[in-house]
Amino acid sequence: MDDEPTSAPANAGAAVADDSVQVVRWDAPAWASRGLEVEGGWLHAYESRVVPLEGDDGAERPCPVRLECTDLAYAEAGQTVLRRFGPRVFIGDTAQLSLPEARRLVAALTEVIERAEGAGR
């Protein structure tokens, strides 16, 4: 490794402007039961329940169902952008769905369950 010092950039001694900083945080969604500060923002979450599902080996594995959204502040094209991502439905670690996708999944599950229950009558 080279032990010679590198020269400082030409503007190394330039003063940094003392700009005021404004912290922005949205109100938590009404459905959120907890919040967690994350890098660059805030995570809002609600965990519905843990559904035991049978795994490939026949053993039950817990499958938490939760709702989350994240408020983030980040730089884009020289501007500070504030954005809320979500809400998203998480089904264990296997699926992450938008609300419309989750509705379509519930409708499809309901249809096949009702069909199976109706066929047995």
Side-chain angles (χ1 to χ4, degrees), residues 76-117:
E76 185 177 275
Q79 299 289 319
T80 299
V81 177
L82 305 172
R83 183 168 175 203
R84 174 166 277 174
F85 293 90
R88 308 274 304 164
V89 176
F90 289 80
I91 303 171
D93 57 359
T94 58
Q96 181 183 146
L97 308 165
S98 67
L99 294 182
E101 290 169 330
R103 274 192 186 85
R104 289 192 298 269
L105 178 60
V106 167
L109 289 170
T110 301
E111 177 185 341
V112 297
I113 291 166
E114 287 174 352
R115 184 174 185 89
E117 289 173 342

Side-chain angles (χ1 to χ4, degrees), residues 21-26 38-42 70-76 79-85:
V21 175
Q22 181 180 5
V23 177
V24 177
R25 188 168 131 200
W26 286 282
V38 295
E39 186 176 341
W42 198 260
T70 308
D71 300 336
L72 293 178
Y74 57 93
E76 185 177 275
Q79 299 289 319
T80 299
V81 177
L82 305 172
R83 183 168 175 203
R84 174 166 277 174
F85 293 90

Side-chain angles (χ1 to χ4, degrees), residues 1 18 31-32 44-45 50 73 99 105 113 118:
M1 175 149 223
D18 185 16
W31 51 260
H44 306 284
V50 176
L99 294 182
L105 178 60
I113 291 166

